[in-house]
Amino acid sequence: MMKKMIAMLLALVMALSMAGLVSAEEAAPAEEGGTPLVVAYSPFSAKFSPFYADTGYDQDAVELTQIQILTTDRSGGIIYNAIEGETVSYNGTDYLYKGPADISVVYDEATDTTKYTAKIRDDLLFSDGVPVTADDIIFTYYTYLDPTYVGSTTLSSYGILGLNEYQTQTTSEVYDKYAAMAEDIFAAGEDHEWSEADGWTQEQQDGFWALVKEGWMNDVQGIVDYVLANYMDYSEDYAGLTADEIAESDSKKVAFGMVMWGFGEIADGILTTGDGKTFDLATDEVTIEDYYNATYAAYEGDVEAYAATESADGTDVAGNAKLAFVMEYGPKDEAMGGAGVPNISGIKKLDDYTVEVTTAGYEAPAVYSILGIQITPMHYYGDADKYDYENNQFGFDFGDLSKQKSLIEHPMGAGPYKFISYENKVITYEANENYYKGEPKIKEIQFKETAAAEVATAVGTGEVDAGEMTGSKIRFEEVGTINGDGEITGPVITTSKVDNLGYGYIGMNADTVNVGGVADSAESKALRKALATVLAVYRDVAFDSYYGEAASVIQYPISNTSWAAPQATDEGYKLAFSVDPEGNDIYTADMTAEDKYAAALAASLKWFEAAGFTVEDGKVTAAPEGAKLDYEVIIPGDGTGDHPSYTVLTMARDAFEQIGITLTINDPADSNILWDALDAGTQELWCAAWGATIDPDMYQVYHSSGVVGEGGSDSNHYHIRDAELDNLIVEARKSDNQAYRKSLYKQCLDIIIDWAVEIPAYQRQNCIIFSTERINIDTLTPDITTFWGWMHDIELLEMN
């Protein structure tokens, strides 16, 4: 849905599950027209912020409270004159689309710039009655574009004029000067004896290496955090410490991290570090600086060699230090006059209700990010006393987003509903009397967490009123039984099915599944292909068993709803992971399913050999340095295996066991275990799904700037860093020629498959079910589509 335009949001591959705070039939208050609409979801992460929500469920929770600038129709087309409205035909019916703002996108060939203009209605109010103005849009932009902001938007990836200067607080000339200076200081080396002929001061030299040390120590802390998240179960076996001892002591946490990463040994309670120091763990404190010293000694101060080999999340420690140096010393340059850069020149407030954003060049997806933002209340998320547009004050201090972060659990905006509370895993909303389309007819909505398997039963028994149901054979049969006539729409339940704007996948983290710590080597790719080949061969049987006709297997990591998705008739189209290391096809047309399973396993052995594993008598007997004979896959199946990809994993696990590889399936009851691992970058393999956007832009998910921990979108959970892929993604943005862009995206998809960090799984349908008995179905928004969800026009929805 267009409301998800800012980011492609990571979501469970399972459908949203729903149940009520109490049964819907019991929840009706005495007041007429006050029956709540009870809806439930898979677990929330409680990041209920328009700035920081990063799962589909948290984003949905926020969206009910917000409005965004951009309006789109049922086909995903942009409505440019939404204030007065535009009529667009869909499926033979004319629909009038209205929204909060008129927009325009104008490219100027002479200056090679594009202007994005938004003019909002002058009668918009936030839910607390405060008017919505251009100042709120300005505040929202500056929050997203603050250099300390880390979230799922790609807004900063577009060439907004003056953005780099603002974020670094230097002009481009000064930036280039200090970036070159940082390179020169780094090249001279830490032991360089400063002289006046160097072109920099002693203070600058010392300051640069202090920044390198700070970044190195932060990275070492990241290793400790990674070890604690992944190896605590093995603490007694590997470090001579119990889990309780480690958990209760920061010193022992560091010691544990050193031992598990090969920079220390523990014997009789004494830690001996890699640089020869000893610590009595009963009395001595082991600090992060001690760990840093051990790594520094091991790599003789070579920070690039350290980061390439040891960094838990692939952080470019030296690169980060160089950027920090520019931001530290650039603003102090005489050319800056000590004032820095006060604003982003490409963002202008034209009047009280109009804002203009100017970018360099033209990029096709930019409109969805630049004008797809939600308009956040500056007086709530910021500080009105710190806002003065004319004097370059934008509602908060530069680099300080503490106020925005402090409200992460309680959203507020101008949307149809007001967020009231999140208690006992239930979100409660009240109708917003100030909503510009009119106060919603349903006065209260509840979102409650529950298991996916209970959705149909809950709607049938009256526990809930609506829900997005997994479109599996079992669930359709269940709905048919509840309706009493075998149909999925009947007297008890009404079902709506549309193609899902997204797809399911099995992912691999290139930083944790590799050979020798080098994520992009031929050997590392071969290892991941060995795993992917076996996983891919079981997709057909697994998804047919789970979904039936409600889903299909996909061969590329892109939703089939996208115009950029490769088709079977396209030149170069291949089944995912269907060749061996010599490039030969694994399968033939006359193979049975069992033949294919055997062929996949045989090809997998060849890939393991190509990765440097020892293969003897049809079994893998030893792994090269940095690789293993066992890997873990996390699947969010509620701890019961209720997940489309679960059968893929169990069949692959049994196959791998035959050749000496262990695939451990971790199916936690709490799906936040997976999300936390993804946020930390500690996962090896996992199952999930992407919610896509109308434009197939790949920047957020696959560009190297988005790798978790790099300070970008934090959505590149695959940790794929490929310069060619980065260039293709950026190049595809610059054209509005769909055929040309599709050809570039095909090259991108081929690179992703070659890295083997993602196994395309399935394209499913969204199956939303409603209580025919308790909801007035005639008031539900008609013609629900991939781009037009059931919560559109929610202010018109009525209960029976």
Side-chain angles (χ1 to χ4, degrees), residues 663-710:
L663 181 67
T664 301
I665 302 172
N666 180 0
D667 178 15
D670 182 359
S671 62
N672 283 310
I673 295 218
L674 169 58
W675 310 138
D676 291 345
L678 292 173
D679 287 343
T682 58
Q683 82 288 1
E684 293 178 339
L685 289 83
W686 75 100
C687 299
W690 285 116
T693 57
I694 295 173
D695 189 276
D697 179 37
M698 297 180 175
Y699 192 95
Q700 180 178 341
V701 177
Y702 300 109
H703 195 277
S704 58
S705 66
V707 170
V708 172
E710 297 288 325

Side-chain angles (χ1 to χ4, degrees), residues 228-248:
L228 292 171
N230 287 273
Y231 296 105
M232 282 292 286
D233 290 344
Y234 309 107
S235 58
E236 293 187 45
D237 295 333
Y238 285 87
L241 299 169
T242 68
D244 288 341
E245 287 175 327
I246 295 169
E248 293 172 359

Side-chain angles (χ1 to χ4, degrees), residues 285-359:
E285 286 294 314
V286 186
T287 67
I288 286 295
E289 186 158 12
D290 294 321
Y291 195 165
Y292 159 77
N293 290 334
T295 60
Y296 185 93
Y299 284 91
E300 299 179 339
D302 189 339
V303 64
E304 289 183 315
Y306 156 80
T309 307
E310 306 294 348
S311 178
D313 58 8
T315 296
D316 181 3
V317 177
N320 288 348
K322 293 170 187 176
L323 178 59
F325 177 84
V326 174
M327 296 182 68
E328 174 71 21
Y329 292 97
K332 301 175 183 177
D333 190 271
E334 291 182 1
M336 298 304 302
V341 178
N343 58 49
I344 302 169
S345 60
I347 298 179
K348 297 186 181 299
K349 172 185 169 183
L350 302 185
D351 59 42
D352 287 344
Y353 301 101
T354 309
V355 171
E356 177 186 87
V357 178
T358 305
T359 66

Side-chain angles (χ1 to χ4, degrees), residues 169-303:
Q169 286 298 290
T170 63
T171 63
S172 57
E173 292 81 6
V174 171
Y175 179 91
D176 290 344
K177 172 184 175 179
Y178 284 88
M181 186 184 296
E183 291 288 354
D184 291 341
I185 295 174
F186 183 70
E190 188 174 7
D191 296 330
H192 172 71
E193 186 174 338
W194 177 82
S195 72
E196 292 185 0
D198 282 334
W200 59 81
T201 67
Q202 179 75 60
E203 177 196 356
Q204 289 169 336
Q205 179 171 301
D206 293 343
F208 175 80
W209 290 109
L211 290 169
V212 171
K213 179 179 179 180
E214 179 183 348
W216 195 329
M217 289 180 62
N218 287 339
D219 195 75
V220 167
Q221 179 64 61
I223 294 175
V224 173
D225 295 340
Y226 176 86
V227 169
L228 292 171
N230 287 273
Y231 296 105
M232 282 292 286
D233 290 344
Y234 309 107
S235 58
E236 293 187 45
D237 295 333
Y238 285 87
L241 299 169
T242 68
D244 288 341
E245 287 175 327
I246 295 169
E248 293 172 359
S249 167
D250 289 339
S251 176
K252 289 183 175 65
K253 289 176 183 177
V254 176
F256 177 59
M258 294 179 75
V259 172
M260 294 302 294
W261 221 248
F263 288 97
E265 295 180 352
I266 295 176
D268 300 323
I270 303 297
L271 168 69
T272 302
T273 65
D275 56 341
K277 296 179 181 177
T278 59
F279 297 85
D280 185 336
L281 295 179
T283 58
D284 297 335
E285 286 294 314
V286 186
T287 67
I288 286 295
E289 186 158 12
D290 294 321
Y291 195 165
Y292 159 77
N293 290 334
T295 60
Y296 185 93
Y299 284 91
E300 299 179 339
D302 189 339
V303 64

Side-chain angles (χ1 to χ4, degrees), residues 782-800:
D783 278 332
I784 295 172
T785 72
T786 300
F787 307 104
W788 188 265
W790 73 272
M791 286 194 289
H792 278 85
D793 297 329
I794 197 169
E795 73 279 0
L796 303 177
L797 190 62
E798 299 177 4
M799 304 297 289
N800 282 330

